[in-house]
Amino acid sequence: MGTTDWTQLWLNYHRVYEGDGAWNIALEGFSDTDVVISNAICEFRKAIELLTGEQVSDSPEAGKKALTLKIAKVASISAEGYSIKGSTNGIDLSASDANGVLYGVFAILRLIACGKRADEVAETASPSNPLRMMNHWDNMDGSIERGYSGNSFFFENEEIIINDRTRDYARFMASIGINGIVINNVNVKGAASYLITDRYFDKVKELSDIFEGYGIKLYMSLNFASPIEIGGMDTCDPLDRSVISWWEKKIKEVYDNLPHLGGFLVKADSEGRPGPFTYGRTQADGANMLADVIAPYGGIIIWRCFVYNCTQDWRDTKTDRARAGYDYFKDLDGAYHDNVILQIKNGPMDFQIREPVSPLLGGLTKTNQMLEVQAAQEYTGHQIDLCYLIPLFKEVLDFHTHCNEEKDTVADIVSGRTMGNNLGGMSAVINTGNDMNWTGDDLAAANTYGFGRLSFNTELTAEEIAREWIAQTLNLPKKEEDILCSMLLRSREIYERYTSPLGIGWMVTPNGHYGPSVDGYEYSRWGTYHRADHLGIGVDRTDRGTGYAQQYYPENAKLYNDPNTCPEELLLFFHHIPYTWKLKTGKTLIQHIYDSHFQGEEEARGLAADWDSLKDAVPEEVYKRVKERFDLQLDNAREWRDQVNSYFYRKCGIPDEKGRTIY
Ligand code: GCV
């Protein structure tokens, strides 16, 4: 079982073998006066001793074999990439820049923690995506929007916190290849608007310097109405000359104080946030104005496409929230300046357990794009229910948009391979907080780890990532690793089965978004979102309905438009279907709803039983913490099963063929 320091997540550095030599470090072309290089060496020094019992020492004990970690600059290696190769003399690490060295060191440590000996280490890698970012939805009072792991470790009572945890956090992020962190919530309110003033510059600079030492750029979310909120002006019209001058002065001041700032993330014209629409301007007008002002400093503007009318009337069957992103942004394709990136949520709605991929991804062909996913489990179980999200993220990355003959997947688009552009990548709404174990549910850290690894290497499989995470975090014997790995890999579909069926989404308790409430979605107060009546359920998004399916390229549009070819897991997202409709399994739709909910609840019990079987293999406190969550998950699964099944039974009056009790 071993002693596990849970504050160190996957950088636990268990003793994996007894080494047979003393390490020294040789630098060629790099200098340890570079803080990234010295942090990398420091990590190697600490970790190799914990992993193998051998020290890095200038004066090794007599008789010890000398092992060298040789770190050499090789210009031909691509930016942030590395090559590592072990031998009986040590390990050669080559990179062309400091981030490459840092990632190379973490790769060595990962491979050793996962069972390789130093002489067996071999890997060549370069990041799939230029930008690999975490988005914090942390507020300055210390709360976290959609946070399920305690409070913020950046902010408390409108002050910025910097302590040992800050550095650990930067280490964790660097170890999975993250190179950008947005520290504050996209809903920028109150004190957060003042992050770009001298009230906070010193502390933000300190934070930025710590990040910089781990190859990470600090970004901030920006209040588009800053000229009004903090500038005392009466407008924030992006085309108003006085507004532009205000921003020019402000951004100069910001960069004078924060020279390494990566740029800003902006949520505009969405859910009450101010934006260019107020002045009859376009999203491009807003984004480009800021981009032009920040360009001289090398900064970028990441502009979110989560723009929709949250007060729409759902009784109007032609208005469709799913269409909004594409409708607002597609026509402006090509109008965005080079240092603007549009950040697009993976689906057209809002991080549901199953949604189609947003048609905007690849629908845009002349604009930098960034994929946004949510590691924080807002709609996927609040880090109570087990839901390993990497299979979902993989599905999105692998989706063929048909925007091109080749290189048409989402992974191709956001990496820059499709359009040959340099700016793009992946962002996750992070799931961390100040809970001792960082993620509330210990097992939710697999999503934090997994997002970083996947954004660095989109070719990795969900299973490879799960196994890496388990080995480094818990170092379990093979049989137990297999059990935990299988739990993780099954968990997303299990969650899906006991919650909302076949892509319809929501059905969730309003505002809180945990637990069932079939008619409860907060923004559909004038009519049910799912359009269920006594005959059927689902939203007609075909050319006969809202026309959403036609936002895809013809190949996908055709597939989705016809209920016979539409992937069944998305059937109710695209079609209004009678309860008596026969699915490919031969079951009716209503029987599928009953069966999947019974099955999902039963499988959730299977997950809990599997966790029980690991009782002696994992540290006791971890076992207990996670078990408490499984107990809650089982209540949740039961509630979902019963509410959903009885809702539809009452709507349609068709009994369960298997005669089970429907409450
Ligand atoms: C940060 C959803 C969430 C909001 C979130 C918003 C967004 O609507 O419920 O909490 O706000 O998405 O992504 O901006």
Side-chain angles (χ1 to χ4, degrees):
M1 185 155 79
T3 53
T4 305
D5 178 353
W6 272 86
T7 65
Q8 289 301 306
L9 292 170
W10 51 88
L11 298 187
N12 239 330
Y13 299 134
H14 299 262
R15 178 67 57 87
V16 281
Y17 69 87
E18 295 303 324
D20 55 3
W23 288 88
N24 60 77
I25 309 235
L27 292 177
E28 271 177 26
F30 288 108
S31 157
D32 57 9
T33 54
D34 178 327
V35 63
V36 177
I37 303 291
S38 80
N39 280 339
I41 292 172
C42 182
E43 193 74 28
F44 182 80
R45 186 184 293 275
K46 183 172 69 184
I48 204 72
E49 184 170 355
L50 290 167
L51 288 165
T52 68
E54 290 296 347
Q55 292 184 343
V56 177
S57 167
D58 292 335
S59 46
E61 278 169 49
K64 279 258 175 192
K65 187 173 166 191
L67 295 169
T68 304
L69 171 64
K70 192 172 110 195
I71 301 177
K73 192 166 206 158
V74 176
S76 58
I77 294 184
S78 55
E80 299 187 289
Y82 58 84
S83 170
I84 49 179
K85 179 90 189 85
S87 69
T88 48
N89 299 324
I91 301 173
D92 284 347
L93 187 168
S94 318
S96 59
D97 56 24
N99 273 21
V101 172
L102 186 66
Y103 299 149
V105 164
F106 277 117
I108 292 169
L109 301 174
R110 165 172 43 80
L111 290 170
I112 294 177
C114 289
K116 295 261 187 269
R117 294 181 60 91
D119 59 352
E120 295 167 342
V121 158
E123 193 171 276
T124 298
S126 62
S128 307
N129 290 295
L131 290 171
R132 308 169 300 278
M133 299 184 62
M134 291 296 191
N135 291 183
H136 283 258
W137 285 359
D138 294 26
N139 299 314
M140 299 212 56
D141 62 1
S143 62
I144 301 179
E145 182 151 352
R146 312 305 177 187
Y148 311 106
S149 336
N151 280 339
S152 172
F153 46 78
F154 288 143
F155 308 118
E156 189 178 28
N157 297 327
E158 303 192 347
E159 295 301 335
I160 295 178
I161 308 167
I162 295 180
N163 56 26
D164 288 350
R165 210 174 162 120
T166 321
R167 184 168 295 275
D168 272 346
Y169 173 67
R171 290 173 50 234
F172 300 146
M173 293 300 107
S175 74
I176 52 176
I178 294 298
N179 64 359
I181 292 175
V182 183
I183 58 170
N184 62 310
N185 189 357
V186 285
N187 291 328
V188 187
K189 295 179 191 159
S193 299
Y194 291 84
L195 279 169
I196 52 170
T197 68
D198 56 11
R199 177 166 163 196
Y200 290 112
F201 282 148
D202 287 353
K203 279 289 187 184
V204 178
K205 167 84 167 54
E206 216 180 311
L207 196 54
S208 164
D209 286 349
I210 294 174
F211 285 179
E212 196 68 18
Y214 289 91
I216 298 164
K217 284 212 175 296
L218 185 145
Y219 294 75
M220 288 190 276
S221 294
L222 195 66
N223 184 346
F224 190 77
S226 298
I228 300 174
E229 296 249 341
I230 61 172
M233 298 178 69
D234 57 8
T235 175
C236 60
D237 179 351
L239 300 191
D240 183 311
R241 192 53 244 174
S242 60
V243 170
I244 299 170
S245 302
W246 186 87
W247 276 116
E248 283 167 348
K249 246 178 94 196
K250 176 49 72 187
I251 297 298
K252 177 177 184 319
E253 185 194 353
V254 168
Y255 273 89
D256 283 348
N257 286 281
L258 305 171
H260 300 303
L261 186 75
F264 294 105
L265 173 65
V266 188
K267 171 177 178 177
D269 289 311
S270 170
E271 300 182 336
R273 295 289 75 215
F277 283 167
T278 313
Y279 305 95
R281 312 301 186 194
T282 66
Q283 297 294 299
D285 290 333
N288 289 341
M289 181 274 290
L290 291 171
D292 292 350
V293 172
I294 207 174
Y297 308 95
I300 58 173
I301 295 297
I302 304 171
W303 191 268
R304 291 178 90 226
C305 296
F306 186 60
V307 177
Y308 73 103
N309 174 10
C310 63
T311 60
Q312 86 166 65
D313 186 341
W314 291 86
R315 288 167 302 189
D316 166 5
T317 51
K318 286 289 172 196
T319 311
D320 182 4
R321 172 172 165 183
R323 295 186 55 112
Y326 192 94
D327 284 346
Y328 286 129
F329 287 90
K330 168 67 183 166
D331 286 349
L332 298 166
D333 191 14
Y336 293 90
H337 294 176
D338 286 351
N339 59 333
V340 174
I341 306 177
L342 294 188
Q343 182 160 300
I344 305 166
K345 285 191 182 183
N346 62 272
M349 285 296 197
D350 194 9
F351 301 135
Q352 302 301 292
I353 190 66
R354 178 80 65 178
E355 286 185 53
V357 169
S358 167
L360 205 47
L361 287 158
L364 300 169
T365 56
K366 300 182 214 78
T367 303
N368 297 320
Q369 292 159 68
M370 179 109 115
L371 169 67
E372 178 179 321
V373 296
Q374 194 182 37
Q377 289 176 241
E378 175 179 0
Y379 293 99
T380 53
H382 282 204
Q383 286 145 240
I384 294 171
D385 299 26
L386 182 64
C387 195
Y388 178 58
L389 291 163
I390 308 307
L392 189 163
F393 302 166
K394 279 289 289 183
E395 259 169 38
V396 175
L397 288 168
D398 292 346
F399 178 74
H400 284 281
T401 64
H402 295 283
C403 67
N404 236 357
E405 294 273 302
E406 47 180 28
K407 297 188 186 156
D408 72 329
T409 65
V410 171
D412 291 326
I413 293 159
V414 298
S415 65
R417 288 191 293 273
T418 308
M419 297 185 287
N421 54 328
N422 299 322
L423 278 184
M426 292 170 65
S427 276
V429 179
I430 196 168
N431 57 355
T432 51
N434 70 356
D435 277 359
M436 182 269 286
N437 66 359
W438 298 86
T439 52
D441 180 6
D442 298 288
L443 303 184
N447 287 330
T448 329
Y449 177 84
F451 170 78
R453 290 286 291 136
L454 190 61
S455 65
F456 193 89
N457 180 357
T458 51
E459 296 298 305
L460 288 172
T461 66
E463 176 169 350
E464 282 166 334
I465 292 173
R467 287 193 186 276
E468 283 182 4
W469 175 77
I470 297 169
Q472 292 170 88
T473 310
L474 287 161
N475 191 28
L476 296 176
K478 176 81 173 81
K479 180 166 154 262
E480 283 77 9
E481 180 185 302
D482 287 348
I483 293 173
L484 185 51
C485 182
S486 152
M487 288 169 65
L488 290 171
L489 292 174
R490 279 158 29 224
S491 59
R492 184 255 182 138
E493 288 190 350
I494 294 176
Y495 185 82
E496 181 180 26
R497 280 189 197 107
Y498 64 73
T499 56
S500 58
L502 302 181
I504 192 71
W506 314 103
M507 298 193 173
V508 77
T509 305
N511 305 311
H513 302 166
Y514 184 78
S517 173
V518 178
D519 289 339
Y521 178 52
E522 63 261 32
Y523 291 141
S524 63
R525 53 191 172 276
W526 296 294
T528 54
Y529 154 77
H530 48 68
R531 311 245 155 92
D533 57 19
H534 67 294
L535 295 175
I537 172 179
V539 185
D540 185 351
R541 295 195 161 98
T542 67
D543 51 4
R544 298 167 303 280
T546 72
Y548 165 80
Q550 281 58 55
Q551 292 185 334
Y552 291 88
Y553 286 93
E555 294 82 345
N556 287 328
K558 195 159 166 256
L559 198 77
Y560 291 142
N561 207 51
D562 179 347
N564 293 298
T565 55
C566 179
E568 267 183 353
E569 65 275 13
L570 291 170
L571 191 59
L572 302 181
F573 189 93
F574 284 100
H575 298 276
H576 187 81
I577 297 288
Y579 296 115
T580 50
W581 173 276
K582 283 269 170 65
L583 296 173
K584 296 203 175 74
T585 54
K587 284 182 192 179
T588 59
L589 170 62
I590 187 66
Q591 194 56 41
H592 170 84
I593 293 177
Y594 296 149
D595 285 353
S596 61
H597 282 79
F598 280 111
Q599 185 186 340
E601 190 272 344
E602 196 179 315
E603 288 171 333
R605 279 188 275 134
L607 288 177
D610 279 355
W611 182 249
D612 276 345
S613 78
L614 297 177
K615 186 167 192 277
D616 297 329
V618 300
E620 197 181 339
E621 56 174 309
V622 177
Y623 168 74
K624 282 193 185 145
R625 260 200 310 268
V626 175
K627 180 169 171 38
E628 276 169 20
R629 285 173 193 261
F630 274 122
D631 291 345
L632 295 171
Q633 176 170 0
L634 296 192
D635 291 345
N636 193 36
R638 250 191 312 275
E639 237 182 293
W640 270 97
R641 176 197 68 190
D642 293 343
Q643 280 206 32
V644 173
N645 281 349
S646 68
Y647 180 96
F648 287 104
Y649 175 53
R650 285 175 201 174
K651 274 258 172 248
C652 71
I654 304 172
D656 172 32
E657 278 172 5
K658 297 179 184 156
R660 290 162 293 198
T661 308
I662 291 180
Y663 292 97

